[in-house]
Amino acid sequence: MTLRFLTEPTRFLFFTGKGGVGKTSIACATAVQLAGEGRRVLLVSTDPASNVGQVFDQTIGNTISPVTSVPGLDALEIDPEQAAAEYRERIISPVRGLLPEPEIASITEQLSGSCTTEIASFNEFTALLADPALVADYDNVIFDTAPTGHTIRLLKLPGDWTGFLEAGKGDASCLGPLSGLEKQRDLYSGAVGALADPSLTRLVLVARAQVSSLAEIARTAEELTGTGIRASNVVINAVLPDAPDEDDSLVLAIRDRERSAIEDMPASLADVPRDIIELKPENMVGLDAIRSLFQDASDVPPDSPIPLSHGDGPSLDAMIDQIASDGRGLIMCMGKGGVGKTTIAAAVAARLAELGHDVHLTTTDPAGHLENALGAGQELPNLVMSQVSPDQAVKDYREHVMNTKGKNLDDAGRALLAEDLLSPCTEEVAVFQQFSHLVSEARRRFVVMDTAPTGHTLLLMDAAGSYHREIARNMDSGTQYTTPFMRLQDPDYTKILLVTLPETTPVLEASILEDDLKRAGIQPWAWVINQSLTAANTHSPLLRHRANQEQGPISAVRERATRLAIVPLLQEEPVGPQRLAALAS
């Protein structure tokens, strides 16, 4: 198989894409192939759910280690949380003991959000891009997960942020982490320059042959283009191979959907060189599996187990009936992009409305398309829909801050404040205000929320937690109050459904999210495994074998979940009330 993204590879190759699309597998297969050609290769993962070690069946940590089974290949897994903790300590330790404790607490709070984690992760591999001496021994450096457009925009923002923030002129934003970076601006500039140089760096967008997945990489490409970095290649992974004699109705339906998605992919990607990798029978764990990824379709192993039942877990419909007994409350569908949160949220809302409850279905996802899930022109009694508009929220928020904080500043101060408000995290702060209103609305009706991908959602949670702590500090002892964060922590008020796919990486990412929520005192109410072949009706040998591969991830969820619903992969896209009802039941 000749792959365009592997033709005359550049020094640096970045693979980026949402959880579960296979970017780690493709990055690992690329590293193995290049090493097999006699090159010295370094594989670097900055993915918080990295499973590079699992792929090669050895421990790989935050120091460069040789991959024992592949001569010429070394690997490094950067732990974002550890990087963030060390980064915070480097900034805080010089002033610890010099500043009052409330000031230290304020700085720590400012450096505790997801933005700090992004910046710290980028900080860890910046030297690999900007300092040639560190990678002088390697012909190729492969990165599993590229920095987001969000991170690049942060690093490119000019201004004396340290002085501006210390003077108290800046509002709550993600510029706190930048206040410690002034000395490294030249290094970051070199790293960003390397990312933007097509002779040095190839940026590969990885997706599945699904409308939502392709739309997501199109948004990523547009976001990065705005920073001067252009996508070099697109890889569409795990496409169902052609089988002329196949008469399985599920196979035929999937193949039609995939072909249609590829033919109608966003125009912005039309001219980007494209590779298609076929779905393989095995999961990409182990060296033999990784080496097969770039080969033509292989035969399905004969006589494999054929599980066609998902055990004693409840249907999504039964779970919704249990939710309905409360009469009102907040239901949040959370998880990584591409796992079907919008569809599950729409199914929950439609069923609650069918039962006669007053329901508000909403999304905080800038890429959310609730109308697509319910069907164009469809209206249901008892159901209203809305979308939190980041653009409008930001506009209103900027005007408010400029008219209040900026009112008495001089021209230079207003210019810096305006620049602060151009920070990407201004959107998070602005959206949080609308998010808080939605949380409170659930006191009198059902509010079903299709949240944004996990990083965005955790930023909202961070904002809710910060607001809660600020209220608690300023309240007199004994005063009764309820903050949005307290409502999120109340299991009688908020029910969080963790949505995932029956695959290793999405389950691992959802598990990390569950642990993060628990540390914040928020207990997920249930798990939903979506698009399961185990629960589907198929006689295709390939899909049956793939169903067998789902058993490990499903068992891992069963060990964690108090409640679990497994939703089958359907022949028809679950769009419209009738198909959503079929999905739920």
Side-chain angles (χ1 to χ4, degrees):
M1 181 187 298
T2 301
L3 297 169
R4 301 175 74 176
F5 76 90
L6 274 175
T7 302
E8 299 180 0
T10 53
R11 182 79 184 283
F12 303 111
L13 292 97
F14 279 85
F15 294 90
T16 189
K18 290 299 181 182
V21 297
K23 63 181 182 298
T24 296
S25 299
I26 291 171
C28 290
T30 298
V32 168
Q33 178 154 323
L34 294 180
E37 295 172 359
R39 299 169 183 256
R40 287 280 292 143
V41 180
L42 175 62
L43 173 61
V44 182
S45 175
T46 60
D47 191 332
S50 175
N51 60 343
V52 169
Q54 184 182 26
V55 167
F56 291 114
D57 193 27
Q58 73 174 76
T59 300
I60 296 172
N62 61 355
T63 57
I64 295 177
S65 306
V67 177
T68 56
S69 57
V70 185
L73 175 60
D74 293 344
L76 167 67
E77 285 185 329
I78 295 172
D79 182 342
E81 293 302 325
Q82 180 181 340
E86 293 172 353
Y87 180 75
R88 278 193 297 271
E89 185 59 24
R90 284 198 299 272
I91 293 176
I92 295 172
S93 60
V95 297
R96 189 176 283 116
L98 300 177
L99 295 177
E101 279 303 315
E103 290 291 329
I104 297 294
S106 177
I107 295 172
T108 303
E109 180 71 36
Q110 198 172 51
L111 297 173
S112 295
S114 299
C115 289
T116 297
T117 303
E118 284 191 28
I119 293 293
S121 295
F122 188 67
N123 189 55
E124 288 293 306
F125 67 72
T126 292
L128 300 175
L129 286 168
D131 187 349
L134 288 180
V135 292
D137 294 337
Y138 298 100
D139 299 302
N140 300 98
V141 183
I142 297 169
F143 293 90
D144 170 25
T145 300
T148 64
H150 179 159
T151 304
I152 301 300
R153 286 200 305 276
L154 282 176
L155 295 172
K156 293 177 73 172
L157 281 174
D160 180 12
W161 299 119
T162 302
F164 186 58
L165 292 166
E166 286 177 353
K169 297 173 183 176
D171 217 42
S173 72
C174 58
L175 297 176
L178 292 182
S179 64
L181 300 184
E182 298 296 334
K183 296 179 181 178
Q184 294 180 272
R185 282 199 177 275
D186 289 343
L187 185 64
Y188 282 135
S189 177
V192 172
L195 281 168
D197 184 349
S199 68
L200 280 176
T201 299
R202 185 165 293 173
L203 179 67
V204 182
L205 303 174
V206 184
R208 291 283 181 92
Q210 301 165 348
V211 172
S212 60
S213 182
L214 292 169
E216 191 62 48
I217 62 168
R219 283 188 292 272
T220 299
E222 291 165 6
E223 187 179 43
L224 288 170
T225 297
T227 71
I229 300 170
R230 294 189 177 276
S232 308
N233 297 78
V234 167
V235 172
I236 304 176
N237 189 35
V239 175
L240 203 61
D242 283 330
D245 298 329
E246 185 71 78
D247 62 352
D248 184 88
S249 57
L250 182 58
V251 168
L252 297 175
I254 293 172
R255 188 174 292 129
D256 285 346
R257 289 208 300 263
E258 290 183 340
R259 286 174 176 167
S260 177
I262 293 172
E263 289 172 0
D264 298 333
M265 66 189 301
S268 60
L269 300 175
D271 296 330
V272 181
R274 180 191 315 164
D275 290 298
I276 293 178
I277 297 175
E278 293 183 341
L279 179 69
K280 301 299 188 292
E282 306 294 338
N283 283 336
M284 290 297 112
V285 177
L287 188 56
D288 289 343
I290 284 296
R291 283 181 169 148
S292 74
L293 183 58
F294 294 162
Q295 297 173 1
D296 292 328
S298 54
D299 293 332
V300 179
D303 302 321
S304 60
I306 307 172
L308 292 178
S309 172
H310 54 80
D312 55 359
S315 67
L316 182 60
D317 200 44
M319 195 177 281
I320 297 170
D321 287 345
Q322 188 175 352
I323 293 172
S325 64
D326 292 340
R328 58 104 185 99
L330 177 65
I331 297 96
M332 297 180 68
C333 293
M334 299 182 68
K336 280 290 187 181
V339 298
K341 296 186 306 295
T342 300
T343 299
I344 298 300
V348 171
R351 173 62 178 162
L352 289 171
E354 181 186 347
L355 293 172
H357 295 283
D358 184 13
V359 183
H360 180 180
L361 172 61
T362 186
T363 180
T364 62
D365 188 345
H369 299 288
L370 294 177
E371 301 86 354
N372 293 347
L374 280 172
Q378 292 281 356
E379 293 186 5
L380 290 176
N382 308 318
L383 177 66
V384 296
M385 292 189 299
S386 71
Q387 178 170 352
V388 174
S389 169
D391 290 342
Q392 186 60 46
V394 167
K395 180 182 177 181
D396 295 342
Y397 179 74
R398 285 175 179 157
E399 289 179 356
H400 172 74
V401 173
M402 292 301 295
N403 291 333
T404 53
K405 276 184 172 282
K407 182 177 181 181
N408 297 317
L409 295 179
D410 58 20
D411 289 345
R414 285 180 63 83
L416 276 174
L417 180 58
E419 188 175 343
D420 184 3
L421 292 170
L422 293 175
S423 153
C425 277
T426 296
E427 178 179 309
E428 312 297 346
V429 178
V431 169
F432 173 66
Q433 296 181 349
Q434 297 190 26
F435 172 77
S436 299
H437 176 74
L438 290 167
V439 171
S440 297
E441 186 182 327
R443 288 178 297 173
R444 62 181 186 276
R445 73 197 314 187
F446 279 112
V447 175
V448 180
M449 190 179 294
D450 163 36
T451 66
T454 301
H456 178 99
T457 301
L458 286 178
L459 282 170
L460 290 179
M461 297 297 187
D462 284 344
S466 300
Y467 177 77
H468 169 84
R469 287 184 285 275
E470 186 66 26
I471 291 292
R473 279 195 294 266
N474 290 287
M475 281 290 182
D476 294 333
S477 178
T479 303
Q480 296 294 317
Y481 61 92
T482 302
T483 66
F485 198 65
M486 292 168 68
R487 298 195 190 281
L488 295 177
Q489 292 175 312
D490 181 357
D492 293 328
Y493 190 93
T494 299
K495 290 181 170 56
I496 291 176
L497 308 183
L498 289 179
V499 184
T500 187
L501 299 176
E503 300 170 14
T504 301
T505 299
V507 168
L508 181 58
E509 290 174 334
S511 299
I512 292 171
L513 172 58
E514 181 182 45
D515 292 340
D516 288 341
L517 292 172
K518 286 180 177 179
R519 280 194 292 272
I522 300 172
Q523 179 68 47
W525 186 75
W527 284 64
V528 177
I529 296 178
N530 193 27
Q531 300 179 18
S532 171
L533 288 168
T534 302
N537 182 20
T538 178
H539 58 262
S540 162
L542 174 61
L543 296 189
R544 284 173 176 263
H545 190 76
R546 293 290 305 178
N548 190 53
Q549 306 295 304
E550 294 180 353
Q551 301 316 296
I554 290 175
S555 295
V557 173
R558 286 191 185 281
E559 292 177 3
R560 300 181 69 102
T562 303
R563 300 172 186 82
L564 170 64
I566 301 181
V567 177
L569 180 64
L570 300 180
Q571 291 187 29
E572 297 182 304
E573 291 276 15
V575 174
Q578 291 183 339
R579 293 182 187 174
L580 288 172
L583 179 85
S585 61

